[in-house]
């Protein structure tokens, strides 16, 4: 399956009319937080709350949407279909013959609180889930993105952690440390926070 990640400018243009919260996620979120490129990217991720998932179909109306259901297997996501918990990733492309351009990830929320898929004891106000770059791009707060990357870290996750660490203030570091302890008990990043 071929990827040709959409540039952030294209993603922002496509999602600009969406009237629900959305955030650039993954490695691009880390780069928006640190204000510089960190590494190459194989895809571009957008996070949307599960309750707002149909806004993705609205934003990408003429596109194809494929749900990872079960995880690791793609199937068409039908218009108006509500994806249940456990179906957390959607791959999107403008046409059947084209490469994948955007990956949308769905996360949980209860009322005004974001609830981690990794561990429902890790929560945060939806209004504090992200930041906005100087040029107006909403992105997942770096401590939240690092928490999502913390399970089974890969070399790129380690690079993202090292790049983001200098921009994490005390409260962000504390939130990440608390989330890591809650979800994993021990984690190698705790010694560096």
């Amino acid at each position: 399956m071929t990827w040709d990640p959409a540039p952030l400018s294209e993603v922002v243009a496509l999602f600009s009319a969406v009237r629900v919260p959305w955030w650039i996620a993954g490695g691009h979120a880390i780069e928006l937080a640190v204000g510089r490129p960190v590494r190459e990217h194989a895809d571009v991720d957008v996070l949307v709350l599960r309750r707002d998932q149909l806004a993705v179909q609205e934003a990408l109306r003429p596109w194809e949407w494929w749900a990872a259901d079960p995880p690791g297997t793609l199937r068409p996501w039908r218009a108006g279909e509500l994806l249940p918990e456990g179906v957390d990733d959607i791959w999107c492309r403008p046409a059947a013959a084209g490469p994948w351009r955007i990956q949308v990830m769905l996360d949980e929320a209860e009322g005004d609180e974001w609830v981690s898929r990794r561990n429902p004891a890790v929560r945060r106000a939806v209004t504090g889930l992200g930041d906005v770059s100087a040029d107006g791009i909403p992105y997942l707060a770096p401590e939240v993105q690092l928490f999502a990357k913390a399970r089974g870290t890969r070399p790129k996750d380690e690079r993202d952690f090292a790049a983001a660490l200098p921009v994490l203030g005390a409260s962000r570091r504390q939130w990440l440390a608390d989330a890591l302890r809650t979800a994993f008990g021990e984690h190698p990043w705790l010694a560096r926070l």
Side-chain angles (χ1 to χ4, degrees):
M1 296 188 187
T2 308
W3 271 91
D4 180 18
L8 291 185
S9 58
E10 181 180 340
V11 175
V12 170
L14 289 165
F15 279 82
S16 64
V18 172
R19 299 294 173 229
V20 299
W22 61 273
W23 304 268
I24 297 295
H28 287 287
I30 299 299
E31 291 182 354
L32 288 166
V34 302
R36 64 176 172 78
V38 172
R39 59 179 173 80
E40 293 294 318
H41 300 279
D43 63 4
V44 60
D45 303 316
V46 176
L47 179 71
V48 175
L49 298 176
R50 183 174 307 281
R51 66 185 178 205
D52 300 326
Q53 63 184 280
L54 295 181
V56 174
Q57 291 184 346
E58 190 64 31
L60 304 174
R61 184 175 295 279
W63 286 41
E64 284 196 351
W65 325 294
W66 290 68
D69 180 19
T73 304
L74 294 175
R75 67 154 175 93
W77 180 29
R78 295 181 312 275
E81 176 188 3
L82 293 176
L83 298 173
E85 283 188 38
V87 181
D88 305 317
D89 294 305
I90 305 159
W91 289 23
C92 307
R93 61 186 175 188
W100 301 106
R101 304 279 289 157
I102 299 172
Q103 180 175 346
V104 177
M105 298 175 302
L106 303 178
D107 249 350
E108 310 308 323
E110 290 178 5
D112 294 334
E113 268 191 326
W114 164 79
V115 180
S116 169
R117 283 186 280 131
R118 306 252 187 265
N119 185 319
V122 177
R123 296 168 175 253
R124 187 175 185 136
V126 170
T127 57
L129 198 54
D131 293 319
V132 178
S133 70
D135 50 352
I137 301 172
Y139 63 93
L140 198 56
E143 65 274 22
V144 177
Q145 183 57 67
L146 290 172
F147 173 70
K149 291 173 158 285
R151 188 176 83 195
T153 57
R154 303 157 293 183
K156 68 180 182 176
D157 302 321
E158 294 294 339
R159 283 193 299 279
D160 289 347
F161 177 75
L165 196 55
V167 303
L168 294 180
S171 64
R172 291 177 187 261
R173 285 176 185 241
Q174 187 63 55
W175 185 91
L176 179 55
D178 291 345
L180 291 172
R181 282 189 198 96
T182 299
F184 307 113
E186 291 298 319
H187 192 280
W189 289 351
L190 287 168
R192 295 166 61 192
L193 290 171

